[in-house]
Amino acid sequence: MTTDHITAELDINDNEQLRYIAAQAVDARVNVELETEGMTLNIGPQHPATHGTLRIVAKLDGEQVIKAEPIMGYMHRGYEKLTEVRTYPQVTTLVNRIDWVGSFANEVPFILAAEDLMEVEAPPRAQWIRTALFEMGRIANIMLFLGDMAVQLGGVTAVFYAFRDREFVLNQIESVTGGRFHPNFNRIGGIKDDLPAGWIAETKSVMQKVRDFCDEMEDLVVGNEIFQLRCRGVGVIPAEVGKAYGLSGANLRASGVDWDLRRDGDSRLAWKDLDWKVWTHPDGDSFARYWVRLQETREATYMVEQILDGLPTGPIMAKVPRIIKVPAGESYVQTENPLGVMGYYVISKGELTPFRVKIRTASFSNMSIAPWLLEGVYVPDIATILASLYFILGDIDR
Amino acid sequence: MLTPLAIELAYWQETIIKGVIGLVAVLLPTGALVYLFLFKMMSFMQSRLGPMETGPYGQLQLLAEFGKFLQKEDIFPAKADRFVFAAAPFVVLVSTFMLVLVLPGGPDATFIDINTGIYFALAVSSVSVIGILMAGWGSASKYSLLGGLRAAGQLIAYELPLVLSVVGVVIMAESLNLSDIVHKQNEFGMWFILPQFIGFFLFLVSVQAELTQPPFDMPQAESELVTGFLTEYSGIRFLLFFIAEFATAAIFSAIGATLFLGGWTIPFVDANAEFMNYIGPLVLAAKMILIAFLIFWFRITYPRFREDQLQRLAWKFMIPLALANIVITAILKVAL
Amino acid sequence: MPKMPGMLVGLRVTAKTFFKTVFPGGPFSPPAPSKGAHTVQYPHVKEAPPTRARGVIALHDDNCTACMLCARECPDWCIYIEGHKELAPPRRAGGKPRQKNKLDRFDIDFALCMFCGICVDVCPFDALFWSPEFEFSEMRIADLLHDKSRLGDWMETVPEFPAYESGADQKVRKVPAT
Ligand code: SF4
Ligand code: SF4
C-alpha cells in the first residue's frame, strides 16, 4: 500500500511534516487491518510437549504458526566421539542410552556391524533370542507412544494404562537381561546368557496382556471422535516429501510407503523365518501414524510368540577371542528400530576401540521434517504433530 | 431466613452465620469433590490407588496440599502487572462465592431468595472470565496470555448454550426463581431431566466447557500452553485458583441438580415439611455428587478439542440444538 | 448392530477399569482397591526383582586376586583396587610357600557406576556377583562409595543362578558359599 491517496485527500503534498504524519497514519492502519505483530514463542527446552529438552522456536500469528524451527543439541552427550575411546564391549553399553525406551534394539545393529568386521556369526539360537528381545523392546517403546500421544492431546488416562502394561514387558526383559532399561545383553558373536526357566510361558501371557492393551487403546483413543477430530488431516506427510526428508519407520509407512527393513533388509535376525505383515496406511496424517504403530505393536506380539514357539536349540555364543580386537575395515548395518531406521557405520583400524562410529538415528531424520510440517498449523496441532512424529530426545541428540 | 432455628437474631449475627455457612458450603463440597473424584475415582480408573499415606486412604491429603501451598513462595514475575496479577484469583473466587448465594438447600434454607435466581447465577458465573483474562494479561507470559484469551473466547462461546439450555427448564417451571423451580418439579411429578433431557445434555457439556475441564481444557492445555493462565502462579494464589475451579464445579453440579434433578426434594416426601430444611442440603449434596461424577468421568476419559473445533461445536451444533429444544418445549407447553 | 459412538466406548473402558480396580474379586465381593490396583505401595509392600536383576555388585573377596581386569574394563573407571603380594602357607606340607595376591582396597563408586555388568562378566575368578538388592540410596553422594567389607556384605543377598529354559546349552553356575 502506498501513501498516495491519503496525501491526495489531505492535499498536503508540499508540507514535509504533514506528509510524515500521514505516512504514520497509513502505517498504523496497515498494522491494524492487514498484519498483526507476530509473536515468538519458545516451546521448550522445558515444556511438557517436548518430553525432553527439545526447543522449538515458533513464530506465531495469533494461534497460527508462521514458522517453526526445532533447535536440537540440549542433550548432546557426544556418543560418537566417546565410542572412539571405548572398547567394543564398552560401546555396547553406551549405545543402550541412545533410544532409552527401546534400548535393546540399539545394541543390535552395532553388534551386527562389529560381527561383520570380525567375520563371526552368532548361532541361530542367539539370533532368535535377539529377535524376540528386539521385538519386546519395540513393544515397550511403542506402548509409551500409544499412551503419550493421548496425553499430548489431553486424555490423561491412556498413559497410565500404557505404563501399567509396559511394566510387564519390562519385567520380562529384566528377568532375562538383568536390566530394565539398559540391557547390555548383546555380545559380539552371540548373547550374554540363555533364557531362565519359565520365561517363555510367562512372556506368552504378557503378550496376551499387551494385545488386551492394544484393544483398550483402540476403544479409548482410536475410536474416540475427539481424537479423530484432532488427528485426522493434521500433519499430513505425502509419501514423496517423507522420502525426501529421510523419514523412516512407522512415520513413512503411515504415508503409504511399504518399506520395512525387517522384511526388505539383509538382516541376519530371525524375521525372515516368521509369518508377519507390514502395516501401512494411505493417509499420512497423525491419525495414520498412531494407527500404524498400534497395529505394529500387535503384530510384534504375534512375532514374539512365533519366535518363542520355534526357538532353535544349541549354543548362544560363537567362538570369539577373549580380548576383542576387530580387524581393520568398514561396515554399515541398519535395522528397523522402533523409531525408524537406525544404522551404525563402524570403521576399525584393527585396535581395541573403533576408529570412528557414525550413528544414524531415526528421530534425528524424523525431526527434520518438523519445520515443513509445522508451518501454518495452530498451536494445539504442534503438540499433535510432535507427538505423532514420535521422537526420543536421546535418539535425536545422542 | 434461618427461621427454622426459631431464634431472633440481629442482622449482623445473621450475616456472620450466613458467611460461615457460605464458606462451609463452598469449601466442603469442593474438598469432597477433589478427594472423591480427582484423587480417588481418577486413580481407580487408571488402576492405581492415589494418595494413601496421609490419613486412612489418604483422606487428609487435601489438608497436606493446603499446607504445602501456604508455605510456598508467592512469586511475581518480574514484568508482571503486579496489581492485576495479584487481584485475578480473588475476582475468580468472588464469582464462585456469589454463585452459591442463590442455591436453595431446603424450603427455607436459602441465603437469598431472589426471583431471578437462575438469571443471577448465570450472570455472576461470567465474572470469572474477567479474572481469568486478568491472570492471562497480568502474568506477562506468552503462555498465560494465550491461555487467558482462549479462556475468554471459550467462556463467551459457552455462556450462550448454557443459558439457552436452562431456558427450557424455565419455560416448564414458569419461573426464574430456583426455589420455585424445585417446587414445580415436585408438583409436576417428575424431575425435569426427563422432559428436558436435551437441555440436560447441553447443560452438562456447557458446564464442562465453563469449568475448562477436559475435553474443553484448552485454556490450560498442559501439552501446549504448560498450564495456560496458571503458568506463572504459585503458592497461595495458585491455591485460590484451584479452589475456585473445583468450587465452581461443585456449585454448577448443584445448580444442575436443582434444575434437573429436583434439587433438595425427595420424591413422595412432603417438600414443605420442617425437617426438609435439615435433610435438604444433604439430598442436594448427594445429587450434586451424582452430576459431578459425570463431569469428572468425562474429564478423565476424553482428550481435548482444538480451539476452533470447540467454537464450531458451540455455534454450529449446541446453540441450534438448544434453540430447537426451546421451541419444542414452548410448543408443548402451549399445546398441553 | 449399529456401531456405538466411540466416546461412549471410551467411557466404558474407564468404567471397566474402575470396577476392576475397586472390586478385583468380582462385582459381589467387598471392595479391595489395594488388591485391584496395579501399583504397589512401595515402602510398605515390596516387589521382588527378578533374580538376574542388576541391583548392586557383591564381592567375594576370597576369590579376588586383584588382577585389575574389572577395573580396567569398567567403562567409567569407578572401581578402585589396591593390593600387595604376600606369602601363603604351602598347600601340601613340605611344599614351597605360595605367592598370593592380597586385596587391600576394593571400592566401587556407585555414584558413577552405570550398572552395565561388564566388571562381573570379565572377572575370570568368579569374585563379583550381581545382587538384586536395590535399596542402598544415601543422603550423601560420597557414601555411595562401597568399600571391600560393604561389598562383601552384599554377598549374602546374592541369589542362586536360575535354571535355564529347556533347549539351552549353558550350565548353571554356582554362587560360592560365604
Ligand atoms: S557395572 Fe559397569 S560401570 Fe559399574 S562398576 Fe561394573 S563395569 Fe563399572
Ligand atoms: S574382582 Fe575379579 S576381575 Fe576384579 S580384580 Fe578381583 S579377580 Fe580381578
Side-chain angles (χ1 to χ4, degrees), chain C residues 57 74-76 78-79 108 113-119 130:
Chain C
I57 298 166
C74 171
D76 38 13
C78 62
I79 307 181
I108 296 183
C113 170
M114 52 190 210
F115 300 90
C116 61
I118 289 178
C119 53
W130 277 113

Side-chain angles (χ1 to χ4, degrees), chain A residues 93-261:
Chain A
T93 190
L94 289 180
V95 298
N96 268 173
R97 272 99 177 144
I98 288 178
D99 155 23
W100 54 64
V101 282
S103 33
F104 188 87
N106 293 326
E107 301 170 3
V108 174
F110 174 75
I111 289 290
L112 290 180
E115 282 178 357
D116 265 2
L117 288 175
M118 290 188 65
E119 289 170 352
V120 293
E121 187 150 354
R125 186 173 171 89
Q127 300 283 33
W128 279 63
I129 294 176
R130 264 184 200 171
T131 320
L133 288 170
F134 194 110
E135 288 305 315
M136 284 169 74
R138 179 190 311 279
I139 293 168
N141 187 323
I142 301 185
M143 272 169 105
L144 186 70
F145 163 81
L146 295 175
D148 178 69
M149 172 106 176
V151 133
Q152 296 292 333
L153 297 181
V156 283
T157 304
V159 80
F160 286 93
Y161 294 171
F163 273 113
R164 178 190 72 194
D165 292 336
R166 184 167 172 262
E167 203 65 7
F168 299 120
V169 182
L170 289 180
N171 279 344
Q172 289 313 99
I173 294 179
E174 188 187 14
S175 56
V176 179
T177 64
R180 303 168 73 74
F181 272 41
H182 304 309
N184 187 23
F185 198 58
N186 282 291
R187 299 287 178 266
I188 293 176
I191 52 176
K192 183 179 151 211
D193 212 346
D194 213 307
L195 306 174
W199 189 80
I200 289 181
E202 212 168 305
T203 307
K204 278 185 185 162
S205 80
V206 166
M207 289 303 122
Q208 185 53 46
K209 279 183 193 147
V210 173
R211 278 197 290 275
D212 290 346
F213 163 78
C214 289
D215 294 342
E216 242 172 19
M217 285 300 111
E218 228 153 58
D219 288 347
L220 186 66
V221 181
V222 175
N224 191 302
E225 279 83 1
I226 303 176
F227 179 79
Q228 300 196 2
L229 264 181
R230 284 294 303 276
C231 288
R232 281 204 191 269
V234 171
V236 180
I237 306 176
E240 290 313 310
V241 179
K243 279 188 206 159
Y245 273 98
L247 295 198
S248 55
N251 288 334
L252 198 56
R253 285 194 286 278
S255 299
V257 181
D258 191 4
W259 182 61
D260 191 324
L261 274 180

Side-chain angles (χ1 to χ4, degrees), chain B residues 92-110:
Chain B
V92 179
L93 211 58
V94 160
S95 125
T96 309
F97 274 95
M98 277 163 81
L99 265 177
V100 84
L101 288 182
V102 289
L103 269 183
D108 298 313
T110 47

Side-chain angles (χ1 to χ4, degrees), chain B residues 98-177:
Chain B
M98 277 163 81
L99 265 177
V100 84
L101 288 182
V102 289
L103 269 183
D108 298 313
T110 47
F111 292 104
I112 48 169
D113 195 13
I114 49 175
N115 278 331
T116 51
I118 183 66
Y119 178 74
F120 175 80
L122 295 178
V124 158
S125 77
S126 317
V127 174
S128 66
V129 184
I130 299 171
I132 288 174
L133 260 182
M134 281 165 70
W137 171 256
S139 307
S141 151
K142 289 166 183 173
Y143 290 120
S144 302
L145 185 62
L146 278 178
L149 288 178
R150 278 184 185 190
Q154 171 175 342
L155 296 188
I156 290 167
Y158 277 82
E159 203 68 31
L160 207 53
L162 184 65
V163 173
L164 293 178
S165 69
V166 172
V167 170
V169 171
V170 172
I171 293 176
M172 292 194 72
E174 300 167 358
S175 169
L176 284 167
N177 185 319

Side-chain angles (χ1 to χ4, degrees), chain C residues 59 63-71 81 106 122-125 127-128:
Chain C
L59 170 73
N63 280 2
C64 179
T65 59
C67 71
M68 299 281 204
L69 254 181
C70 54
I81 302 174
F106 193 106
V122 295
C123 176
F125 302 105
L128 293 177

Side-chain angles (χ1 to χ4, degrees), chain B residues 124-267:
Chain B
V124 158
S125 77
S126 317
V127 174
S128 66
V129 184
I130 299 171
I132 288 174
L133 260 182
M134 281 165 70
W137 171 256
S139 307
S141 151
K142 289 166 183 173
Y143 290 120
S144 302
L145 185 62
L146 278 178
L149 288 178
R150 278 184 185 190
Q154 171 175 342
L155 296 188
I156 290 167
Y158 277 82
E159 203 68 31
L160 207 53
L162 184 65
V163 173
L164 293 178
S165 69
V166 172
V167 170
V169 171
V170 172
I171 293 176
M172 292 194 72
E174 300 167 358
S175 169
L176 284 167
N177 185 319
L178 281 169
S179 299
D180 282 356
I181 292 177
V182 172
H183 282 294
K184 257 294 183 338
Q185 296 188 51
N186 226 27
E187 286 164 30
F188 200 67
M190 65 166 103
W191 294 344
F192 284 152
I193 185 172
L194 291 176
Q196 283 294 326
F197 55 91
I198 297 178
F200 181 67
F201 166 74
L202 291 172
F203 181 83
L204 262 190
V205 177
S206 342
V207 162
Q208 197 94 1
E210 282 277 318
L211 297 172
T212 65
Q213 299 233 35
F216 302 102
D217 66 336
M218 285 70 99
Q220 297 181 12
E222 258 150 64
S223 53
E224 301 149 21
L225 299 182
V226 193
T227 38
F229 59 88
L230 292 176
T231 308
E232 302 293 341
Y233 280 92
S234 63
I236 180 87
R237 281 175 223 284
F238 180 83
L239 183 69
L240 290 181
F241 267 118
F242 187 81
I243 292 177
E245 180 180 343
F246 288 98
T248 320
I251 295 167
F252 263 117
S253 310
I255 291 179
T258 309
L259 290 176
F260 295 99
L261 294 182
W264 43 267
T265 58
I266 313 174

